[in-house]
Amino acid sequence: MKAYISPVHDHHWSGNALVRGRLQPHHDRQGRGREVLAALQDLQLTCHYVSPQPLPVPELTQIHDANYLEFLRTAWQRWSQLTDASFELRPNIWPNHHFPTMRGSSIVAQAGRYLGDEATPIVADTWQNITSSVETSAAAAQALIDCNGSESVYTLVRPAGHHAMSDMGQGGCLLANTAIAVQRLRSRWGKIAVLDIDVHHGNGTQQIFYDRDDVLTVSIHGNPEVLFPFICGYAEETGRDAGEGFNLNLPLAAGTEMAGYRPAFEKALQRIHDFGADAIVIAAGYDTFRGDPFGNLCLDTPDYAALGQGIASLQRPTLFMQEGGYVIEALRANTRSLLEGYLQGGRK
């Protein structure tokens, strides 16, 4: 196994997030990337640090709306020119069921159009951070292609991407790293399965591939009745048009431990097997860990090894994509446990 590392994987940024009505320092804080990297080094993986690329990743415009990309590229400059603008851009009005189209062209109106919540601010270096994550994700996917899947790849990026939709940021995610990696893998393999084990539903990945039958999206997550993103992630969401039957959500009750998690995980593995996936992308979130302040499931460090072994049992080219996990002091052990289990399962 090798690893591809974003140059800003542990960069500090100053944005805040609104949590239960209170603005607080963003939970995707410095230190997370450092601990995941330490786990990769513990396992003596070959780590490739991805330099900024001179040309944009072509999958960026295949996955994301052009107007949305232009908003992200110019948002901070436009916002910072406003009188008394805050150090972070965040919306204060959104489209609604009476006025579903945000017609205004001002940066304030566009913030409401393109930012779906109050946990996804834009600050001075956001564009650099998110494009570095995309470049790293594409490079990691290309590495898997180049070795024809003979060696698995772990991708350390920050910020994460599984909440980013084709034309909207949400949940601290602005560009869909996982979906972009999937799109790159499609240049080599016909069928790709995404297994999202973050505690939060991968709503962005679902939205992007919801009407496609070449990408199976599977998400095991906390019940969205009580956990972000609240408005989606329910079992009855199974795909649309050509994609009908190619989206599987497996929501779990708060407090679920490994004994309750395992049946859902085994169902996910069986669905991926039945799909006949040629390659697999794992959205690897560790906020399923017991006591994570932004989750409500109760996995323990040894449980991640069992997940790794299950993923290895599929015997497919595998790309791991970094997502959540906010108990910083446990990230090193949990990442190591997942990958040790995977490697012990006979994969490289």
Side-chain angles (χ1 to χ4, degrees):
M1 177 179 280
K2 63 186 74 171
Y4 277 69
I5 316 296
S6 166
V8 295
H9 70 277
D10 204 41
H11 187 62
H12 171 70
W13 52 78
S14 52
N16 295 308
L18 191 71
V19 180
R20 297 183 181 88
R22 299 179 185 275
L23 273 181
Q24 60 185 46
H26 206 285
H27 42 282
D28 186 9
R29 63 188 190 275
Q30 193 172 33
R32 296 183 63 244
R34 177 195 66 222
E35 293 302 303
V36 173
L37 178 59
L40 304 179
Q41 293 170 335
D42 289 344
L43 295 169
Q44 299 183 332
L45 304 190
T46 301
C47 293
H48 301 268
Y49 293 83
V50 178
S51 301
Q53 303 298 300
L55 297 175
V57 172
E59 291 81 7
L60 194 58
T61 54
Q62 297 168 17
I63 293 298
H64 288 291
D65 174 78
N67 291 329
Y68 175 59
L69 292 174
E70 180 65 10
F71 164 77
L72 292 177
R73 188 183 67 81
T74 62
W76 174 252
Q77 179 185 15
R78 296 167 61 200
W79 175 262
S80 62
Q81 292 172 352
L82 298 179
T83 303
D84 296 328
S86 166
F87 71 93
E88 57 181 355
L89 185 164
R90 58 176 60 252
N92 61 2
I93 190 168
W94 283 274
N96 57 65
H97 64 279
H98 292 295
F99 299 97
T101 301
M102 185 66 81
R103 297 176 60 188
S105 60
S106 74
I107 187 62
V108 176
Q110 288 190 346
R113 167 66 181 84
Y114 293 121
L115 301 178
D117 62 16
E118 286 281 4
T120 317
I122 291 176
V123 295
D125 50 3
T126 291
W127 181 247
Q128 173 200 354
N129 296 339
I130 61 179
T131 53
S132 293
S133 290
V134 164
E135 290 165 353
T136 304
S137 302
Q142 188 61 48
L144 192 69
I145 292 170
D146 290 345
C147 72
N148 200 30
S150 63
E151 188 174 5
S152 306
V153 180
Y154 195 99
T155 316
L156 174 50
V157 292
R158 196 172 142 263
H162 73 149
H163 296 308
M165 291 168 276
S166 59
D167 61 353
M168 182 180 292
Q170 199 172 65
C173 305
L174 288 161
L175 292 177
N177 308 319
T178 293
I180 285 166
V182 168
Q183 191 73 359
R184 175 65 61 93
L185 295 181
R186 278 288 291 110
S187 69
R188 167 62 180 81
W189 289 291
K191 291 183 175 182
I192 311 297
V194 180
L195 175 57
D196 193 322
I197 57 173
D198 190 280
V199 79
H200 304 104
H201 172 237
N203 61 299
T205 311
Q206 171 176 303
Q207 181 265 329
I208 288 166
F209 296 118
Y210 204 58
D211 58 359
R212 287 173 55 171
D213 59 4
D214 59 330
V215 179
L216 171 70
T217 50
V218 181
S219 182
I220 310 171
H221 48 266
N223 183 355
E225 283 284 350
V226 296
L227 196 68
F228 184 90
F230 302 107
I231 59 175
C232 56
Y234 296 89
E236 58 267 28
E237 298 160 18
T238 57
R240 180 180 56 233
D241 297 332
E244 177 60 48
F246 295 93
N247 187 82
L248 175 62
N249 288 327
L250 298 166
L252 300 172
T256 296
E257 298 183 333
M258 190 58 179
Y261 190 98
R262 189 181 299 276
F265 183 64
E266 291 176 350
K267 183 175 182 179
L269 296 182
Q270 186 62 52
R271 180 67 185 94
I272 292 169
H273 176 271
D274 294 344
F275 173 63
D278 299 310
I280 302 165
V281 177
I282 306 299
Y286 304 96
D287 39 12
T288 48
F289 184 64
R290 187 185 302 272
D292 191 290
F294 294 95
N296 63 5
L297 302 184
C298 295
L299 299 192
D300 296 309
T301 297
D303 297 331
Y304 293 102
L307 300 186
Q309 291 169 357
I311 294 165
S313 73
L314 292 168
Q315 295 291 304
R316 293 290 186 272
T318 303
L319 176 66
F320 292 85
M321 298 293 302
Q322 184 67 49
E323 296 290 354
Y326 306 102
V327 181
I328 289 181
E329 58 271 22
L331 270 175
R332 183 175 186 173
N334 291 341
T335 304
R336 189 170 62 235
S337 178
L338 178 73
L339 297 183
E340 283 177 340
Y342 180 77
L343 296 169
Q344 289 168 3
R347 298 295 293 166
K348 294 194 295 182

